[in-house]
Amino acid sequence: MDKIKIAVIGAGVWGKTHAYLYGKRREVEITGVCDKSLKRAEEMAEQLNINKESVFDDYIKMLDNIDCDAVAIVTPDHLHRELAVGCAERGKHILLEKPLATSLEDINAIAKAVKENNVRIMVDLHNRWSPPFAAVKDAIEKGEIGEPYSAYFRLNDIKWVATDMLPWASKSSILWFLGSHSLDTLRWMFNDEVDEVYAVSRKGILAAEGIDTEDIFQSIIKFKNGGIATMENSWITPNSHPCINDIKFNITGTNGMFSLDLSNNNMIERFTENKNDRPDVLVKHFIHGEPKGFSYESINSFVDKLLSGEEFIVTLKDSMHTCLALLAIIESAKTGLPIKLDYSALTI
């Protein structure tokens, strides 16, 4: 494949990011933009100089009227199944924002459609492109800390994310929004599959503000080869926290350890008359006007691998197994019992 014609479904903040990045690539042509709000789709197209005739408010109508090889699905967590299945059935390759899906039925439906229609799919679990995590993974593979033995991962958001940034927070969970990144990273670091989980959750702070979703999950994860990890995900960190994300990661091996502080890393501190913060220089930053953050690199990687025919860095199996573990965590938190994963529940 020498050139990719791509359509973007979802004209929110991150949908605009996808379209902007595709527009920077000579090998990519944006042939369609779709959002349930036609006005929002039209505004995005105008901002990014996309042909107005390529704008739709119905994805089926769009796919029936444009020529495209691939589709970027950038919609809320709980709306992935219909779009992914519909695009796969029409022979389109897919870049899907995480998670793959939020129910076992939806996971299997998407996987079945992808397989039967011989299309390729990648879920945007972009921690695998994070320079600090990638450096740790490389060192682990070289045997620098021996066999991974235990880990701790805290990935939390400030309240603003649930109360203001995401109007659909009550239809999802912090596990889907952030836990998908955490769990995928742990699977990647241990190079192993989850065997059993035990989790607790607490609800009340966001519910009091009319957002019916859990505030926090604390999870214990046991891997098949014996590794154990503790995972914390919440979106109730005070808004005064200098970073939107509070990220701490530690992994201990049989012969060493890595410890990462990716929120309060103190690489840059900014003090003005009105605020004190630590500007992002890893996730969504620009260098000389060019997008270089690792959350951009994952999107570019999808394009690169689609062009080359190489396997995606995040495979369909990765995405399915990550979601299965998250569903087990949710079940454990509800029942108060440890849950052993049943991989036979996945159809492929």
Side-chain angles (χ1 to χ4, degrees), residues 163-302:
T163 59
D164 295 81
M165 176 181 164
L166 302 178
W168 43 267
S170 62
K171 297 179 180 179
S172 185
S173 160
I174 190 59
L175 273 180
W176 297 120
F177 191 66
L178 288 186
S180 53
H181 288 306
S182 305
L183 206 290
D184 176 70
T185 304
L186 288 167
R187 288 181 57 255
W188 185 45
M189 291 295 174
F190 278 89
N191 192 30
D192 199 4
E193 298 295 354
V194 178
D195 180 51
E196 189 174 15
V197 301
Y198 173 72
V200 293
S201 65
R202 191 169 184 186
K203 186 176 183 179
I205 293 175
L206 291 172
E209 298 192 29
I211 302 166
D212 187 21
T213 188
E214 286 82 5
D215 298 323
I216 184 171
F217 282 84
Q218 296 271 7
S219 311
I220 303 294
I221 298 157
K222 181 181 177 182
F223 288 90
K224 289 187 175 182
N225 291 327
I228 56 172
T230 302
M231 190 174 88
E232 175 184 330
N233 300 112
S234 82
W235 39 14
I236 54 170
T237 301
N239 289 334
S240 58
H241 193 276
C243 302
I244 292 177
N245 306 120
D246 181 16
I247 312 172
K248 305 291 189 296
F249 178 75
N250 174 286
I251 187 163
T252 301
T254 51
N255 295 317
M257 179 182 75
F258 281 101
S259 185
L260 281 62
D261 183 345
L262 301 178
S263 47
N264 300 311
N265 50 55
N266 295 321
M267 286 192 289
I268 299 179
E269 288 187 284
R270 175 167 50 195
F271 301 91
T272 70
E273 292 296 329
N274 301 314
K275 67 177 181 180
N276 160 30
D277 69 345
R278 295 171 177 83
D280 169 35
V281 292
L282 287 173
V283 186
K284 296 184 292 183
H285 68 291
F286 283 66
I287 299 176
H288 306 307
E290 296 296 320
K292 297 298 181 183
F294 70 77
S295 65
Y296 303 144
E297 291 306 312
S298 60
I299 296 170
N300 281 323
S301 179
F302 170 77

Side-chain angles (χ1 to χ4, degrees), residues 108-134:
N108 283 331
I110 293 172
K112 181 173 181 287
V114 166
K115 183 177 180 181
E116 289 182 349
N117 292 281
N118 196 31
V119 297
R120 303 179 65 193
I121 186 170
M122 182 184 118
V123 175
D124 188 13
L125 293 162
H126 55 229
N127 265 3
R128 296 196 184 205
W129 285 263
S130 167
F133 283 120

Side-chain angles (χ1 to χ4, degrees), residues 35-50:
D35 193 278
K36 65 180 181 180
S37 167
L38 186 61
K39 179 181 178 182
R40 188 161 54 195
E42 290 173 338
E43 288 173 350
M44 183 174 99
E46 183 177 355
Q47 290 171 8
L48 298 173
N49 297 314
I50 299 170

